[in-house]
Amino acid sequence: LQKYGSLLRTNAIYSPAEWSAKEAVRLLEEVLSHAPRSPRTQHALARALIQLAGLKGETGRIGPALGESQRALGLLHALLDVEDDVPIDPLEIKKDLASVYNSLGKWLQLDGKLAKSEESYRRALEVLTELRGSLPGVRDTRESLALCQGMLGELLRSMGRNDESEPLITHAIQGLEDLAEDFPQIPRYRRHL
């Protein structure tokens, strides 16, 4: 259901995509009610909530998008705080964490909560910078870092903080130029640039 919803969302077929995401969340919550300590199910639920938040945010429902994002954030932080051997790569959890913080920044910005938006983007940048150090060649991390720098730079520019904005936007441009050069077969890097 999550994959189907993602495919529908990519093709802007929002109502069925949202139904798929809601149903995935419902089923994962049901599984979690029978096995509340299952890290894999918690992680899957966090990812389904991220997808649902994205759908709600993209269709103008910022309040619900913020709520679903906060739920996902709670699950991801709980997974990182587990001291047992969690069968999930912590780098995967951190990638999802960066994604949630980035999305929260966007929803908060759209909701007019600029200070909280900045804080969320900065948290995403922290996680992405850490991931970039751990996974220097991974293009998804490089792309997410560049886009987050660009979004935070644009937010700061809109707040009249150009001296802080310019270096972020410059880094975003450089990161996207590098990606476009390293992967010329992927047109979205040039589009983002």
Side-chain angles (χ1 to χ4, degrees):
L1 283 166
Q2 269 186 274
K3 288 179 183 180
Y4 182 54
S6 181
L7 179 64
L8 291 167
R9 179 182 176 192
T10 300
N11 290 292
I13 306 171
Y14 288 105
S15 290
E18 187 170 337
W19 177 86
S20 293
K22 282 181 180 176
E23 191 63 10
V25 166
R26 185 188 69 75
L27 291 169
L28 288 164
E29 286 174 335
E30 186 177 325
V31 170
L32 208 53
S33 74
H34 297 289
R37 299 178 58 91
S38 168
R40 289 191 191 279
T41 306
Q42 290 172 329
H43 192 217
L45 177 57
R47 286 183 164 178
L49 288 166
I50 292 168
Q51 182 182 32
L52 186 56
L55 282 159
K56 289 180 178 182
E58 287 171 20
T59 54
R61 293 169 289 156
I62 304 305
L66 287 168
E68 305 297 357
S69 295
Q70 291 290 354
R71 284 183 64 201
L73 199 58
L75 286 165
L76 293 169
H77 276 294
L79 285 170
L80 284 175
D81 292 341
V82 171
E83 293 182 14
D84 300 336
D85 262 349
V86 177
I88 303 166
D89 183 351
L91 294 177
E92 285 300 311
I93 297 170
K94 287 182 180 180
K95 280 186 200 177
D96 291 332
L97 196 59
S99 174
V100 173
Y101 277 129
N102 210 19
S103 294
L104 268 172
K106 188 181 345 176
W107 310 141
L108 288 163
Q109 185 175 358
L110 289 170
D111 203 30
K113 297 175 179 154
L114 303 186
K116 287 187 177 189
S117 174
E118 178 183 351
E119 181 183 324
S120 192
Y121 282 138
R122 289 198 185 278
R123 286 188 153 182
L125 272 180
E126 274 179 38
V127 176
L128 288 165
T129 302
E130 180 185 336
L131 285 171
R132 175 72 195 249
S134 302
L135 307 166
V138 176
R139 68 176 195 238
D140 290 352
T141 302
R142 292 169 58 191
E143 178 183 15
S144 295
L145 179 60
L147 293 175
C148 187
Q149 289 167 328
M151 289 188 291
L152 177 56
E154 180 57 31
L155 172 70
L156 294 173
R157 187 201 60 75
S158 74
M159 296 165 72
R161 293 163 56 190
N162 293 342
D163 55 332
E164 295 175 71
S165 172
E166 188 175 343
L168 285 163
I169 293 173
T170 301
H171 287 307
I173 290 169
Q174 184 61 57
L176 291 166
E177 283 177 341
D178 292 346
L179 281 165
E181 185 177 315
D182 293 347
F183 303 98
Q185 72 279 13
I186 301 178
R188 79 171 178 269
Y189 299 144
R190 288 186 301 281
R191 187 175 63 246
H192 290 319
L193 180 58

